[in-house]
RNA sequence: GGAUGCUUAGCUCAGCUGGGAGAGCAUCGCCUUUACACGGCGGAGGUCGUGGGUUCGAGUCCCUCAGCAUCCACCA
C-alpha cells in the first residue's frame, strides 16, 4: 500500500541497484531492433553539475522510452580524461601535498593522475546512479583506456599517412601558465581594458619618424620591419628606407604591403612575425627572420637585453619608462579590445611561433560539408544549429593537436636518434632503442572525437560496432558543437565514411534564477545532488526536461522543482485512491469498451487522445509538449472530473457499473504511470509495483498504444454538458456567496437525449434538492445558463433587476460573437477563399450563437 | 565586422505547418467534500517590443527599427 504522502527518499531507495542487478541496462537482445547512443563523457575533474543532469536525463528518457517501444537500447557510458583540466588539478593537489612539482617525473605524475581518475570516476558513478541513468556499464569506456588509445594511434597514423596530419612551425596560442599550446577554440576572447601605445620609429638619415601604435610594446624586441600601405600617400616616400626600433635600436626596413589598413591607427604597423599570426604571414611573404623573444613562461628571453628574465607585463612597463626617457614614447590611449585567455587557466594567451602537430582541415571540412548535402547528413534538432556547424566548418583553420602535457594520449611519432627521421605508426618501430618518442600528448578532443565508434571497439570490426554504429542520436549542449560534435562528424566520415549519429539533439545551458550563467567565480552553481536531496530525483528530472524549448537556455527555479514534486504527489494520490477502491476480489480484465458507461467512454476517449499526443511528441523528442499533454489529462480529465464522478458509481448499487468503473480506473492509471515513467522512473516503478497485475519491473513493460477501436464518441456531448452544468452551479454559488454544498433547485431543458444517470450525477454535484425537466424553463424565475445542447435555470427568488443585469451581460456576449461571425461570413473574400471547413465551422457557430441569443431574449421578454 | 536567439499575464516561460491568447508560480474569493490543504472549486490579470507589408484573416509569414543575450572574427 502506498504512503499518504509521496516520499521521494523511500520511493527511490534500492531501485537503481535492483534494475542494474537485474541486467535491465544491458543491451544485446538480437531479436529486437537496435537503438544506440553514447553519453557525452564527463570530465574526471569534478562533480556533475545541473547541465550534466539535464543532458543525461534527456538521454535517459529517450533510452527508457525506446526500450518500452521495443528496441534493444544501448547507451554507452564513459568519462573523459580532460587533459589540461585534470593535469592542472592533479598538479595543484601535489603542490598542496608539499611535492616539488618541478622535480616530479612523468611516471610519478601519471601514477598520481590515475589515482585521481579512479576517485572521481567513483564519484561520478554514484551521481549517475542517483540520477537513475540506464547506462550499460558492461560497455563503459574511458577516453584514455587501452582500447581507445589503440583507436587514437590508428587514426593519427592514418591521417598522417594521408598527409592530413603534419608537423609545422606556426603561430599557435601559448598558455604560459599551463605551458602548452592550445587550439583556437580553447582560447576565449574577452574584452579587456588596455592601452594603445604610440612610439616614434626614427627614420635613418632623416629627421622624420614614423608613429607606430601597438598594444603589446614588449613584442617590439621581435620587430623585423615596419609596414605601410603602398597606396598611403603619407608614407609611400618612406618605403625602402629604414627605421630605428626604439626598443633595441636595431635598424629595420620599411616595406609596403596592402595588408595594412590606411584608416586604422597611424597607418604604420610594426611587424613581429614570431608573435602575431598576421605578422607571421608578412614575415613569410618577405622572407624575414622570425625571432622569438619570450620563454615558455612568458618571461623575456636573451634577445631582450637587460629585460631578460622579466615577466612580459613587467617588461612592458619598464620598457615604456625607458623609451619615454629617450623621448620616443608619444602617448597612450585607453582602449577596450579583445584579448585571448586560456579556457582552462584564464592566463592571457601569447601568440607564439612554435613547432607543433596539426590536422589539415581543408579536405576534412569539405567532406563534412558535402555530407550535409547528402541523404546521410546529420540532422540537427533544432535545425538552426546545422548552420552553426556548417559556418564553422566553412571557416575552420588547421587544428593544433599537440599539447605539452603528460596526461593524455602520447603522440605516436618517434624520432631516430641519429638521423632525426620521423617514424609514425600504430606501433613503435621495432628497433625502438634507436628512437625517442615525441614527448607531447594529443589534445583531449582528439580522442573524444572518436567516441561514438572507439567505444564500440573500432578499429576492430566488433559485433557491437556492426550492430550499434552509427548511433541513432547524440544529445549535447550548443556550447560544444565546435569542440566535439563537429570533430566527431569529420573523424567518422574520414575513418568510416559514414556519419557517427543520425541526429544531434541540442539543448541550452542551465542558468541561475536571474538568468546568469552558473560559474565558480559567481558561486551561483547548484549541485544537482542537493536538489535531489531536497525534492527527489524524479522532481528534478521532470523539471529539467519539461521546462524548456529545444535549443533554448533554461533558468533553474527552485519553485518549479517544487511544482514538479506536487504534480508527482498528485499522481501518487490518485494512484492511492484507485488502489484503495479496488477491493480484495478485484480482477483486472481486458477493457471491453462496449460495456462502458458514457462517463467511462468519455475518459477513455480523452486517454486515447493523450496517448496519441504524447507519443507523437516523444517521437519528435519534444518533451515539453509530451509532458503537458499528460499533465492536462491527469489534472483536468482524470482527477478533477472522472475521479470525482467515479465515486457515484462506486457508492451505487449497480454491480456491473461498479466493476467497469474499477476497470477503467486501473486501466487509466496504468497508462498514466507508463506515460510518466520515462521522466520519473522511480515513482513510476513504485506505483507500478503496487498495481494488481504487474511484471517484475516497469522496465519490462511496453509503451501505451493509441487504439482507435477504443474510442466511442456516442455520448461525449452529454458528458460535456453535464460538466458544463456542474460548473455553472459552482460559479453561481460563488457569485451569490453560497456555500459549495448549499442546496439549490434547478430546471433544465435538454436539446439532446441524455444517458441514464445523468440526473443523478447532476444532482449530486450541484447539490440539487430538486431538478425539474421542462421545455418551457424560460418562465421560471432564476438565473439562466445557456449551452449549445441544453439550458439550465437555477431557481431562486432574486429580484428581476439582478436577473436582468446578468442576462444583459450574456446577451452582450452572444451579440458580440454573432457580430464577429457575421463579419467574417459577410466578407465575400473569406467565403470564397478560406477553406470550406473553416467557412462551414463559422456558419455553425453563427447558428449556435443565434439560437443562444434567441433563448436569452425570450427569457428577457418574459421578465 | 559577421551570425543566431529572445522580447506574450506581476515573475518564469509554452504557443507545430496563419483561423476565437495558454501553463506554473504569485494574486483575490470560497471550501477541513472520506486520493491529495505539497489540496479542491471559482475569479481577476495580456494594445503578444516598434513601425510597415503579404493575406479574407497575423502572436504565428516577410521587411524596418529598438532593447537584451549569446556565438564567431587576426585589425596593429
Amino acid at each position: 500500500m502506498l504512503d499518504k504522502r509521496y516520499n521521494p527518499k523511500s520511493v527511490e531507495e534500492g531501485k537503481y541497484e535492483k534494475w542494474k542487478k537485474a541486467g535491465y541496462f544491458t543491451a544485446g537482445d538480437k531479436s529486437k531492433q537496435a537503438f544506440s547512443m553514447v553519453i557525452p563523457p564527463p570530465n574526471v575533474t569534478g562533480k556533475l553539475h545541473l547541465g550534466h543532469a539535464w543532458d543525461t536525463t534527456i538521454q535517459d528518457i529517450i533510452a527508457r522510452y525506446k526500450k518500452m517501444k521495443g528496441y534493444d537500447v544501448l547507451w554507452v557510458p564513459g568519462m573523459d580524461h580532460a587533459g589540461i583540466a585534470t593535469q592542472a588539478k592533479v598538479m595543484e593537489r601535489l603542490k598542496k601535498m608539499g611535492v616539488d612539482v618541478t622535480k616530479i617525473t612523468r611516471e610519478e605524475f601519471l601514477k598520481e593522475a590515475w589515482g585521481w581518475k579512479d576517485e572521481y570516476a567513483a564519484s561520478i558513478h554514484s551521481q549517475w546512479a542517483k540520477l537513475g541513468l540506464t547506462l550499460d556499464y558492461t560497455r563503459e569506456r574511458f577516453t584514455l583506456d587501452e582500447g581507445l588509445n589503440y583507436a587514437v594511434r590508428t587514426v593519427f597514423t592514418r591521417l598522417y599517412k594521408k598527409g592530413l596530419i603534419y608537423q609545422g612551425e606556426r603561430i599557435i596560442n601559448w598558455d604560459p601558465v599551463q605551458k602548452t599550446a592550445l587550439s583556437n577554440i580553447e582560447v576565449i576572447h574577452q574584452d579587456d581594458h588596455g592601452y594603445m601605445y604610440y612610439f616614434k620609429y626614427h627614420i635613418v638619415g632623416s629627421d622624420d619618424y614614423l608613429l607606430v601604435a601597438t598594444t603589446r610594446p614588449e613584442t617590439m624586441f621581435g620587430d623585423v620591419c615596419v609596414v605601410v600601405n603602398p597606396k598611403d600617400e603619407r608614407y609611400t616616400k618612406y618605403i625602402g628606407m629604414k627605421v630605428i626600433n626604439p626598443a633595441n635600436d636595431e635598424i629595420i626596413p620599411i616595406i609596403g604591403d596592402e595588408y595594412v589598413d590606411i584608416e586604422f591607427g597611424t597607418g604604420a604597423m610594426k611587424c613581429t612575425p614570431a608573435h602575431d599570426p598576421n605578422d607571421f604571414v608578412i614575415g613569410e611573404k618577405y622572407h624575414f627572420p622570425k625571432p622569438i623573444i619570450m620563454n615558455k613562461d612568458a618571461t623575456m628571453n636573451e634577445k631582450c637585453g637587460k629585460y631578460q628574465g622579466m615577466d612580459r607585463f613587467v617588461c612592458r612597463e619598464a620598457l615604456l619608462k625607458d623609451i619615454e626617457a629617450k623621448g620616443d614614447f608619444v602617448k597612450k590611449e585607453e582602449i577596450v579590445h579583445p584579448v585571448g585567455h586560456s579556457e582552462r587557466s584564464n592566463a592571457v594567451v601569447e601568440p607564439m611561433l612554435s613547432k607543433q602537430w596539426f590536422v589539415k582541415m581543408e579536405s576534412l571540412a569539405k567532406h563534412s560539408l558535402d555530407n550535409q548535402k547528402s541523404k546521410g547528413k546529420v540532422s540537427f534538432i533544432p535545425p538552426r544549429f546545422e548552420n552553426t556547424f556548417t559556418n564553422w566548418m566553412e571557416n575552420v583553420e588547421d587544428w593544433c593537436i599537440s599539447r605539452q602535457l603528460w596526461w593524455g594520449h602520447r603522440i605516436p611519432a618517434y624520432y631516430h636518434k641519429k638521423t632525426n627521421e620521423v617514424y609514425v605508426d600504430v606501433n613503435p618501430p621495432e628497433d625502438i632503442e634507436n628512437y625517442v618518442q615525441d614527448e607531447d600528448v594529443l589534445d583531449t578532443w582528439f580522442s573524444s572525437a572518436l567516441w561514438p565508434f572507439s567505444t564500440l571497439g573500432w578499429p576492430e570490426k566488433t559485433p557491437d560496432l556492426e550492430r550499434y554504429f552509427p548511433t541513432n542520436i547524440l544529445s549535447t549542449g550548443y556550447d560544444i558543437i565546435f569542440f566535439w560534435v563537429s570533430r566527431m562528424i569529420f573523424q567518422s566520415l574520414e575513418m568510416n565514411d559514414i556519419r557517427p549519429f543520425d541526429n544531434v539533439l541540442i539543448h541550452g545551458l542551465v542558468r541561475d534564477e536571474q538568468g546568469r550563467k552558473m560559474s565558480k567565480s559567481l558561486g551561483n552553481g547548484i549541485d544537482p545532488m542537493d536538489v535531489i536531496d531536497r525534492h527527489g530525483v524524479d522532481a528534478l528530472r521532470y523539471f529539467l526536461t519539461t521546462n524548456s524549448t529545444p535549443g533554448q537556455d533554461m533558468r533553474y527555479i527552485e519553485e518549479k522543482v517544487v511544482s514538479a514534486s506536487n504534480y508527482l504527489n498528485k499522481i501518487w494520490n490518485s494512484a492511492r485512491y484507485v488502489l484503495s477502491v479496488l477491493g480484495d476480489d478485484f480482477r483486472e480484465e481486458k477493457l471491453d469498451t462496449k460495456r462502458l458507461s458514457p462517463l467511462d467512454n468519455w475518459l477513455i476517449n480523452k486517454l486515447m487522445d493523450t496517448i496519441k499526443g504524447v507519443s507523437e511528441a516523444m517521437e519528435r523528442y519534444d518533451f515539453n509538449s509530451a509532458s503537458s499533454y499528460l499533465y492536462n489529462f491527469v489534472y483536468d480529465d482524470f482527477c478533477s472530473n472522472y475521479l470525482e464522478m467515479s465515486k457515484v458509481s462506486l457508492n451505487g448499487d449497480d454491480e456491473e457499473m461498479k466493476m467497469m468503473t474499477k476497470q477503467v480506473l486501473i486501466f487509466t492509471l496504468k497508462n498514466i504511470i507508463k506515460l510518466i515513467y520515462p521522466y520519473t522512473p522511480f515513482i513510476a516503478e513504485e506505483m507500478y509495483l503496487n498495481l494488481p497485475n504487474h511484471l517484475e519491473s516497469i522496465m519490462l513493460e511496453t509503451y501505451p498504444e493509441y487504439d482507435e477501436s477504443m474510442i466511442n464518441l456516442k455520448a461525449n456531448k452529454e458528458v460535456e454538458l453535464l460538466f458544463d452544468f456542474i460548473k455553472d452551479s459552482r460559479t453561481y454559488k460563488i457569485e451569490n456567496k453560497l456555500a459549495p454544498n448549499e442546496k439549490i433547485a434547478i430546471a433544465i431543458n435538454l436539446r439532446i437525449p441524455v444517458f441514464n444517470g445523468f440526473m443523478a450525477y447532476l444532482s449530486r454535484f450541484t447539490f440539487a434538492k430538486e431538478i425539474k425537466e421542462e421545455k418551457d424553463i424560460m418562465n421560471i424565475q432564476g438565473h439562466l445558463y445557456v449551452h449549445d445542447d441544453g439550458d439550465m435555470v437555477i431557481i431562486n427568488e432574486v429580484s428581476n433587476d439582478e436577473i436582468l443585469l446578468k442576462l444583459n451581460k450574456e446577451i452582450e456576449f452572444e451579440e458580440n460573437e454573432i457580430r464577429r461571425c457575421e463579419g467574417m461570413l459577410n466578407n465575400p473574400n473569406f467565403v470564397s477563399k478560406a477553406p470550406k471547413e473553416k467557412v462551414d465551422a463559422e456558419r455553425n457557430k453563427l447558428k449556435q450563437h443565434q439560437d443562444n441569443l434567441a433563448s436569452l431574449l425570450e427569457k428577457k421578454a418574459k421578465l
Side-chain angles (χ1 to χ4, degrees):
Chain A
M1 203 76 263
L2 301 175
D3 294 341
K4 184 169 179 191
R5 161 72 186 163
Y6 153 56
N7 178 345
K9 281 208 169 68
S10 67
V11 161
E12 286 160 25
E13 197 173 345
K15 290 204 169 49
Y16 192 77
E17 293 68 29
K18 197 191 96 182
W19 291 330
K20 200 173 152 186
K21 215 172 160 186
Y24 299 148
F25 301 163
T26 309
D29 185 344
K30 299 273 166 53
S31 68
K32 296 173 173 174
Q33 198 181 332
F35 185 94
S36 58
M37 299 182 287
V38 290
I39 197 172
N43 293 348
V44 288
T45 43
K47 292 195 281 189
L48 302 183
H49 51 67
L50 272 180
H52 289 116
W54 186 8
D55 183 51
T56 52
T57 302
I58 287 171
Q59 292 166 70
D60 194 53
I61 288 174
I62 295 171
R64 290 178 186 270
Y65 169 73
K66 289 291 177 185
K67 196 166 283 198
M68 274 186 127
K69 284 296 242 184
Y71 289 89
D72 168 33
V73 175
L74 169 61
W75 186 17
V76 179
M79 298 176 203
D80 198 301
H81 65 282
I84 300 179
T86 306
Q87 176 150 346
K89 294 223 171 188
V90 173
M91 283 296 190
E92 202 178 299
R93 181 153 85 172
L94 284 167
K95 273 185 208 161
K96 272 191 192 144
M97 286 159 54
V99 176
D100 182 354
V101 294
T102 58
K103 297 224 172 83
I104 195 171
T105 66
R106 187 170 193 138
E107 284 63 37
E108 285 163 348
F109 171 81
L110 287 177
K111 199 178 155 218
E112 192 64 30
W114 279 102
W116 169 284
K117 180 253 165 184
D118 289 340
E119 274 173 53
Y120 279 85
S123 139
I124 287 168
H125 279 133
S126 79
Q127 293 175 79
W128 280 345
K130 276 263 188 192
L131 287 165
L133 310 181
T134 54
L135 293 160
D136 185 348
Y137 293 102
T138 65
R139 291 170 165 93
E140 181 173 355
R141 305 306 294 264
F142 181 54
T143 53
L144 208 50
D145 68 26
E146 179 43 37
L148 268 67
N149 181 255
Y150 179 45
V152 163
R153 294 189 328 257
T154 306
V155 170
F156 188 97
T157 303
R158 286 193 193 171
L159 290 177
Y160 179 80
K161 294 194 168 156
K162 279 186 184 171
L164 294 176
I165 280 182
Y166 65 92
Q167 204 172 16
E169 248 183 294
R170 308 212 350 213
I171 299 279
I172 47 86
N173 306 288
W174 184 261
D175 178 339
V177 170
Q178 300 296 338
K179 298 189 187 64
T180 178
L182 301 174
S183 68
N184 292 348
I185 54 177
E186 286 167 297
V187 177
I188 313 286
H189 291 274
Q190 61 188 55
D191 281 341
D192 283 357
H193 284 275
Y195 295 96
M196 181 75 86
Y197 304 90
Y198 293 81
F199 298 100
K200 289 179 186 171
Y201 280 53
H202 291 282
I203 292 168
V204 177
S206 161
D207 292 338
D208 289 349
Y209 60 87
L210 285 179
L211 195 59
V212 174
T214 179
T215 53
R216 296 185 294 151
E218 65 278 9
T219 63
M220 284 161 73
F221 293 105
D223 288 359
V224 297
C225 63
V226 171
V227 194
V228 298
N229 193 304
K231 288 186 184 142
D232 190 339
E233 289 169 3
R234 294 171 295 177
Y235 300 131
T236 41
K237 60 185 175 209
Y238 298 129
I239 294 173
M241 299 173 81
K242 291 189 178 345
V243 288
I244 302 165
N245 182 344
N248 55 10
D249 295 333
E250 268 181 27
I251 294 174
I252 53 177
I254 302 168
I255 65 163
D257 192 277
E258 309 243 334
Y259 170 77
V260 175
D261 183 348
I262 298 175
E263 309 293 325
F264 189 86
T266 63
M269 183 189 90
K270 72 187 207 58
C271 176
T272 321
H275 292 277
D276 183 281
N278 302 307
D279 295 6
F280 175 81
V281 174
I282 292 173
E284 286 275 274
K285 189 168 166 186
Y286 298 100
H287 308 291
F288 281 108
K290 304 183 194 75
I292 294 170
I293 50 115
M294 266 182 224
N295 300 311
K296 301 291 187 197
D297 58 356
T299 57
M300 309 310 291
N301 70 10
E302 71 288 351
K303 292 203 172 65
C304 306
K306 70 175 196 182
Y307 305 96
Q308 180 178 358
M310 277 187 200
D311 178 80
R312 55 189 159 160
F313 298 126
V314 176
C315 167
R316 181 181 296 178
E317 295 306 319
L319 181 62
L320 275 174
K321 235 180 189 172
D322 290 344
I323 301 181
E324 189 171 20
K326 283 201 292 186
D328 292 336
F329 172 45
V330 178
K331 61 172 175 179
K332 65 175 184 182
E333 285 172 352
E334 195 170 354
I335 56 162
V336 174
H337 62 148
V339 176
H341 292 256
S342 163
E343 190 201 17
R344 293 293 169 192
S345 69
N346 202 38
V348 171
V349 162
E350 205 60 44
M352 207 187 284
L353 187 62
S354 179
K355 191 176 185 189
Q356 302 286 345
W357 290 91
F358 296 89
V359 173
K360 203 175 198 168
M361 287 303 300
E362 197 183 345
S363 66
L364 296 170
K366 187 175 182 300
H367 196 171
S368 302
L369 290 166
D370 288 348
N371 184 63
Q372 284 309 96
K373 291 174 197 137
S374 76
K375 256 182 84 178
K377 67 179 274 187
V378 175
S379 296
F380 285 75
I381 309 168
R384 67 184 144 90
F385 288 105
E386 181 173 352
N387 294 334
T388 309
F389 164 76
T390 51
N391 288 344
W392 188 74
M393 273 297 185
E394 281 160 5
N395 300 303
V396 70
E397 291 188 21
D398 286 358
W399 174 18
C400 174
I401 50 171
S402 42
R403 296 289 178 276
Q404 289 64 52
L405 302 170
W406 285 337
W407 184 237
H409 292 282
R410 190 106 176 240
I411 290 178
Y414 304 82
Y415 306 102
H416 196 278
K417 284 175 183 166
K418 290 188 185 117
T419 66
N420 221 15
E421 162 222 5
V422 183
Y423 177 93
V424 172
D425 202 10
V426 177
N427 296 310
E430 282 180 19
D431 52 340
I432 181 73
E433 63 280 2
N434 294 324
Y435 286 85
V436 280
Q437 186 173 4
D438 197 302
E439 289 293 323
D440 291 352
V441 299
L442 288 164
D443 182 2
T444 298
W445 296 103
F446 193 92
S447 52
S448 320
L450 319 180
W451 190 246
F453 48 97
S454 64
T455 50
L456 296 173
W458 189 94
E460 306 297 333
K461 285 195 174 60
T462 61
D464 273 3
L465 190 69
E466 294 280 322
R467 181 165 169 77
Y468 300 109
F469 189 80
T471 59
N472 294 75
I473 191 165
L474 180 96
S475 163
T476 192
Y478 61 68
D479 52 329
I480 55 170
I481 290 177
F482 303 143
F483 284 102
W484 194 43
V485 177
S486 60
R487 285 164 176 172
M488 284 190 282
I489 292 174
F490 75 67
Q491 289 289 33
S492 181
L493 287 172
E494 187 62 26
M495 292 301 136
N496 309 305
D497 207 26
I498 192 165
R499 61 187 171 195
F501 25 75
D502 306 344
N503 301 290
V504 188
L505 185 58
I506 301 285
H507 61 254
L509 268 43
V510 188
R511 296 172 173 277
D512 75 0
E513 206 141 332
Q514 282 105 55
R516 299 173 305 180
K517 237 169 150 168
M518 288 189 179
S519 72
K520 282 204 188 90
S521 51
L522 277 173
N524 59 348
I526 303 276
D527 183 346
M529 298 304 126
D530 290 345
V531 181
I532 291 172
D533 227 36
R534 286 195 296 275
H535 306 289
V537 65
D538 286 330
L540 174 64
R541 288 173 57 117
Y542 190 84
F543 160 75
L544 286 171
T545 50
T546 62
N547 271 289
S548 72
T549 318
Q552 220 70 300
D553 289 351
M554 170 177 45
R555 297 190 191 197
Y556 173 79
I557 296 175
E558 185 97 4
E559 291 85 73
K560 290 198 179 188
V561 184
V562 174
S563 296
S565 172
N566 291 344
Y567 173 43
L568 298 179
N569 185 52
K570 183 81 180 173
I571 298 180
W572 177 269
N573 271 291
S574 70
R576 210 158 66 83
Y577 166 77
V578 172
L579 295 173
S580 75
V581 301
L582 293 183
D584 297 337
D585 55 344
F586 176 77
R587 287 192 49 204
E588 192 180 358
E589 295 165 10
K590 190 175 178 334
L591 203 60
D592 179 0
T593 47
K594 289 190 193 66
R595 290 165 65 197
L596 297 184
S597 75
L599 223 51
D600 297 337
N601 272 322
W602 173 84
L603 183 73
I604 297 299
N605 295 341
K606 290 279 188 186
L607 174 64
M608 286 303 142
D609 286 350
T610 304
I611 290 172
K612 195 172 181 204
V614 172
S615 306
E616 285 170 359
M618 292 299 285
E619 287 298 320
R620 299 194 301 272
Y621 306 109
D622 181 355
F623 306 121
N624 196 12
S625 304
S627 64
S628 77
Y629 283 125
L630 183 61
Y631 182 93
N632 291 333
F633 175 74
V634 167
Y635 263 94
D636 300 340
D637 303 327
F638 189 54
C639 291
S640 292
N641 289 329
Y642 187 82
L643 225 85
E644 291 305 321
M645 295 261 173
S646 75
K647 291 168 187 173
V648 175
S649 86
L650 291 174
N651 293 328
D653 42 22
D654 184 333
E655 289 303 322
E656 158 80 2
M657 203 171 160
K658 225 187 246 188
M659 193 56 207
M660 292 320 290
T661 300
K662 290 180 184 179
Q663 296 294 350
V664 169
L665 281 170
I666 200 73
F667 178 79
T668 308
L669 175 65
K670 196 174 202 169
N671 277 289
I672 290 173
I673 291 172
K674 286 179 178 183
L675 291 170
I676 195 78
Y677 153 77
Y679 295 82
T680 61
F682 292 95
I683 189 176
E685 174 83 323
E686 182 73 16
M687 292 187 292
Y688 175 80
L689 293 177
N690 277 280
L691 296 179
N693 280 333
H694 64 81
L695 307 175
E696 189 180 82
S697 163
I698 194 168
M699 293 202 68
L700 303 173
E701 274 286 356
T702 55
Y703 204 73
E705 292 288 337
Y706 173 74
D707 182 352
E708 201 175 352
S709 73
M710 292 187 83
I711 294 206
N712 180 349
L713 293 169
K714 208 178 119 230
N716 235 40
K717 283 173 119 180
E718 301 155 47
V719 176
E720 300 279 357
L721 183 63
L722 175 62
F723 291 141
D724 283 340
F725 283 164
I726 291 168
K727 186 162 179 160
D728 290 339
S729 77
R730 285 170 175 160
T731 310
Y732 170 82
K733 286 178 186 179
I734 278 170
E735 280 177 355
N736 291 282
K737 301 207 186 309
L738 300 179
N741 57 357
E742 186 86 18
K743 299 276 185 205
I744 54 173
I746 58 182
I748 57 172
N749 170 37
L750 299 168
R751 279 187 284 277
I752 51 172
V754 293
F755 58 89
N756 275 344
F758 183 95
M759 293 301 180
Y761 283 112
L762 186 60
S763 161
R764 162 140 182 182
F765 288 95
T766 58
F767 295 85
K769 58 187 172 202
E770 178 192 8
I771 302 177
K772 282 190 224 171
E773 195 183 348
E774 48 185 297
K775 292 285 154 208
D776 190 26
I777 63 168
M778 295 301 166
N779 283 320
I780 297 173
Q781 174 93 342
H783 283 280
L784 172 67
Y785 294 90
V786 175
H787 295 285
D788 296 350
D789 298 319
D791 309 326
M792 177 171 77
V793 169
I794 297 179
I795 305 166
N796 63 11
E797 315 233 324
V798 292
S799 71
N800 280 359
D801 288 351
E802 264 183 73
I803 294 176
L804 197 62
L805 204 72
K806 189 153 170 58
L807 266 179
N808 281 337
K809 239 172 111 181
E810 285 173 34
I811 287 169
E812 196 187 336
F813 171 80
E814 296 294 346
E815 283 173 344
N816 278 335
E817 289 302 296
I818 289 167
R819 254 196 303 279
R820 194 189 56 78
C821 290
E822 282 177 344
M824 286 176 83
L825 290 165
N826 288 341
N827 180 342
N829 288 321
F830 174 71
V831 180
S832 60
K833 291 184 184 173
K836 192 173 177 302
E837 322 77 89
K838 297 284 179 195
V839 179
D840 288 345
E842 277 316 306
R843 289 208 171 103
N844 287 333
K845 282 186 209 164
L846 178 62
K847 172 83 171 55
Q848 238 5 297
H849 289 303
Q850 281 169 337
D851 289 350
N852 293 349
L853 180 64
S855 301
L856 291 163
L857 290 173
E858 186 189 346
K859 171 83 180 172
K860 192 176 171 182
K862 285 177 177 168
L863 273 181

